Amino acid sequence: MSIKKSPIIENLRKMQMIELLSKEKRLDGRSLTDFRPITIKVGVIQKSNGSAEVSIGNTKVVAGVKIETGTPFPDTPNQGLLVVNAEFLPFSSALIEPGPPDEDAIEVSRVVDRGIRESQMIDLNALVIEPGKLVYCVFVDISILNMDGNIFDAAFLSAVSALLTTTFEKKIVKGDGEIEFQKCKLPTRCIPISVTSIIIGDNILIDPNEEEESVQDSRLTLTFNDEGNLCAGQKGGSMGISREQLFKIVELSKAKAEELRSFVKKVIENAQI
Amino acid sequence: MGKLIDENGIRLDGRRWDELRPIKIEIGVIKNADGSAYIEFGKNKIIAAVYGPREAHPKHLALPDKAIVRCRYHMAPFSTEERKSPQPSRREIEISLVLRRAMESVIFLEEYPRSIIDVFVEVLQSDGGSRCASITAVSAALADSGISMKDLIVGCAVGKIDGQIVLDLNDLEDKEGEGDMPVAYMPNLDKIVLLQFDGIFSEEEFKKAIDLAILGNKKVYEILKKALIEKYFGTVDEK
């Protein structure tokens, strides 16, 4: 039941922001639908099975994937496991304190988890060693290094980029019972992309920074699969969204997701795995 | 995957695509609380209770210009098929968060500066759509406590089963179906205050789902309104 103080923005700055919004402009000079500059660096943590550091403007996040073996859940004996965890590191903002993941960190991990899971990005059926007994577990741990808004998309991009570059030693039992380990890529099927927008008054802003988030009415994170279908979503913020605004956001986010996906594809193609 | 809708368009529990499960709402079930409500939504059995507005404790939480809302959504260990550990799970913490946000959008928080409104939700038995049933019970409990509100909130999920968008998934449909979308709605202000979903929806399906959710929510609203009217203006012998 944690209740966190949100960042405070000066009234003058807020008024300036809202005035600019009426001209469809933002304080940092972007248009309402522009993302800030995005950088993705993959393979930054050599000891992980896959990793990616993502910045969106001043927001910076690093994700690492570890693959271990474990027992599957009793109701899914023929599937590997996916575990997503996110943590706001204490130096990521003056408002963060050390401690176990609070509700915000839990929300980030669950939203990322659902996006990856529901898009069926990872072929969990291919991660079984012995049905019902031994499977591969994919642990995605996300560390938020610096907070400047839109943590959801940064976390999602880092998780997806890390997974796309994940390799692991696969145990292969040969016909004569001999065990061999073979390096292989994590079986992935698609590149899910999340797009977060906020509503301020009648305006829809994609990729909000922290300043903008502090005056938001509501927030919406939508995840799209390769076909442009929605696969997960989460509303945030403490005000309602109208049906029309909602449909407008879906339309805008869908186009944005396409752009981001081709960017991620390019990064992954250029990376040597 | 089993077939969840038969050739006549009837679902496993006998409902059509646009039908809700039976709903029963009772107001004022916890005498000590400032407001409370009990809801049965299909097999869901949920109690919501409100304490406050009261002095914020610990004091540093208090805000000078408005009330803060604190919410705990909790599932009883016996509420599920297999015993649920009484410790709050990540799911419960997340649901507490989304319920709180929905409440913040409906309460006139600025009327209660420096105070706290505590809302407790206990799921005694869970079925599909427990967070939607919970928010409905919460808004009934808030109304019962007399806290100023802009509207009521009602909740009802939609989902995709056998490729079809249907209203109000039960437990089995939630597990076996292709998608689930809980939606909470303020019927008079026509605003969505809680929205989550998982599962694949095309843009068209998404729009259809939202419209169906709004339709379902309007039906829930009628039931909630009736329960509140019965409680406060109903027959004398009931009291």
Side-chain angles (χ1 to χ4, degrees):
Chain A
M1 295 206 287
S2 85
I3 286 153
K4 208 180 294 159
K5 307 255 164 158
S6 56
I8 293 168
I9 171 170
E10 295 94 340
N11 269 335
L12 269 175
R13 188 128 174 105
K14 185 175 168 181
M15 278 157 60
Q16 196 186 0
M17 183 194 292
I18 288 167
E19 199 188 309
L20 273 176
L21 282 176
S22 63
K23 295 175 204 146
E24 304 210 336
K25 278 186 190 146
R26 291 158 88 163
L27 280 174
D28 57 8
R30 284 185 285 159
S31 83
L32 299 191
T33 55
D34 275 348
F35 258 84
R36 290 164 289 173
I38 301 176
T39 55
I40 304 177
K41 280 186 239 162
V42 293
V44 289
I45 309 290
Q46 284 74 31
K47 287 200 172 175
S48 70
N49 292 93
S51 61
E53 188 188 282
V54 169
S55 326
I56 303 181
N58 288 331
T59 290
K60 190 186 253 186
V61 163
V62 62
V65 178
K66 282 281 195 187
I67 297 194
E68 291 173 2
T69 52
T71 29
F73 291 122
D75 54 340
T76 51
N78 287 310
Q79 277 184 11
L81 299 184
L82 168 67
V83 180
V84 181
N85 186 51
E87 194 184 341
F88 287 90
L89 300 183
F91 53 65
S92 63
S93 150
L95 296 164
I96 301 288
E97 285 174 47
D102 66 351
E103 56 181 22
D104 295 312
I106 288 172
E107 189 186 23
V108 172
S109 41
R110 286 181 59 86
V111 168
V112 173
D113 182 301
R114 283 197 288 265
I116 292 171
R117 200 178 294 280
E118 297 301 327
S119 66
Q120 303 192 344
M121 177 194 184
I122 306 172
D123 186 1
L124 294 174
N125 295 313
L127 296 176
V128 180
I129 305 167
E130 213 181 318
K133 286 195 179 137
L134 199 61
V135 295
Y136 290 105
C137 309
V138 182
F139 292 95
V140 183
D141 287 286
I142 303 163
S143 295
I144 292 138
L145 304 176
N146 195 60
M147 277 170 76
D148 187 18
N150 201 4
I151 300 300
F152 286 92
D153 292 351
F156 201 86
L157 267 181
S158 67
V160 165
S161 308
L163 287 168
L164 287 170
T165 51
T166 293
T167 57
F168 65 111
E169 298 286 326
K170 200 171 182 179
K171 190 175 163 185
I172 290 167
V173 183
K174 285 190 184 164
D176 53 4
E178 204 184 310
I179 292 170
E180 196 187 87
F181 287 95
Q182 200 177 26
K183 192 181 174 185
C184 62
K185 281 172 78 174
L186 183 73
T188 56
R189 300 186 178 112
C190 64
I191 306 180
I193 298 285
S194 82
V195 177
T196 298
S197 339
I198 58 166
I199 297 175
I200 302 177
D202 294 327
N203 299 292
I204 296 166
L205 288 76
I206 288 186
D207 180 35
N209 60 28
E210 188 154 270
E211 200 170 50
E212 290 164 342
E213 278 181 358
S214 70
V215 296
Q216 72 180 17
D217 296 338
S218 45
R219 186 196 75 219
L220 192 68
T221 302
L222 297 171
T223 308
F224 294 85
N225 66 9
D226 283 7
E227 285 85 43
N229 290 326
L230 294 124
C231 44
Q234 174 104 339
K235 180 194 170 299
S238 301
M239 281 227 216
I241 303 186
S242 73
R243 173 183 174 277
E244 290 68 31
Q245 278 173 327
L246 187 59
F247 294 169
K248 182 77 190 154
I249 294 175
V250 171
E251 195 184 303
L252 289 172
S253 308
K254 191 174 166 180
K256 221 57 196 172
E258 279 305 308
E259 278 175 40
L260 283 180
R261 185 174 294 105
S262 27
F263 178 64
V264 173
K265 263 187 195 157
K266 227 184 281 166
V267 171
I268 303 301
E269 274 164 21
N270 292 335
Q272 290 172 337
I273 343 163
Chain B
M1 196 184 298
K3 212 165 179 310
L4 298 166
I5 306 177
D6 73 9
E7 60 276 12
N8 302 317
I10 306 290
R11 291 148 74 177
L12 289 178
D13 57 7
R15 287 182 292 152
R16 295 195 172 276
W17 65 280
D18 60 346
E19 271 180 288
L20 292 165
R21 287 167 293 177
I23 300 171
K24 198 180 104 183
I25 300 171
E26 219 176 296
I27 315 283
V29 291
I30 305 293
K31 295 298 170 219
N32 281 343
D34 296 314
S36 62
Y38 169 75
I39 190 167
E40 281 184 21
F41 202 120
K43 289 195 188 99
N44 284 304
K45 294 178 198 288
I46 299 165
I47 296 176
V50 176
Y51 280 85
R54 60 183 175 182
E55 195 176 342
H57 189 80
K59 259 196 165 134
H60 68 83
L61 289 176
L63 296 177
D65 56 342
K66 60 180 181 186
I68 55 171
V69 180
R70 210 160 35 178
C71 174
R72 181 183 104 134
Y73 165 98
H74 184 253
M75 291 171 85
F78 47 77
S79 64
T80 45
E81 213 67 58
E82 278 176 31
R83 180 175 182 269
K84 192 214 142 277
S85 153
Q87 268 80 35
S89 63
R90 298 211 303 180
R91 176 181 171 276
E92 285 167 288
I93 293 171
E94 190 196 6
I95 293 181
S96 305
L97 171 69
V98 294
L99 292 180
R100 190 187 85 216
R101 282 187 192 141
M103 283 180 248
E104 284 168 349
S105 57
V106 78
I107 300 173
F108 282 104
L109 296 170
E110 59 276 18
E111 282 195 18
Y112 311 104
R114 298 181 301 280
S115 60
I116 197 160
I117 299 168
D118 274 309
V119 179
F120 304 102
V121 179
E122 188 72 18
V123 179
L124 300 174
Q125 180 167 280
S126 78
D127 197 355
S130 75
R131 76 196 70 184
C132 294
S134 297
I135 194 66
T136 310
V138 163
S139 101
L142 284 171
D144 183 39
S145 74
I147 288 174
S148 312
M149 289 155 78
K150 300 166 190 161
D151 197 346
L152 286 167
I153 302 178
V154 281
C156 152
V158 279
K160 191 169 153 189
I161 56 171
D162 290 349
Q164 211 178 315
I165 302 294
V166 300
L167 190 63
D168 186 25
L169 302 190
N170 64 28
D171 222 356
L172 185 74
E173 291 172 329
D174 185 10
K175 278 199 192 89
E176 303 284 326
E178 296 112 81
D180 180 28
M181 185 186 293
V183 179
Y185 176 70
M186 298 193 287
N188 295 296
L189 297 173
D190 190 23
K191 288 273 167 75
I192 292 164
V193 293
L194 183 159
L195 171 67
Q196 299 181 286
F197 64 91
D198 48 47
I200 309 284
F201 293 88
S202 71
E203 202 176 327
E204 280 317 299
E205 285 170 333
F206 179 80
K207 289 182 177 173
K208 200 177 160 194
I210 290 291
D211 286 340
L212 182 60
I214 291 176
L215 193 85
N217 271 317
K218 286 182 174 160
K219 290 186 195 170
V220 180
Y221 177 58
E222 289 309 315
I223 298 168
L224 174 57
K225 211 162 58 173
K226 198 162 154 252
L228 284 165
I229 290 172
E230 259 169 28
K231 162 81 182 173
Y232 295 109
F233 308 103
T235 47
V236 187
D237 53 329
E238 264 190 63
K239 291 166 193 169

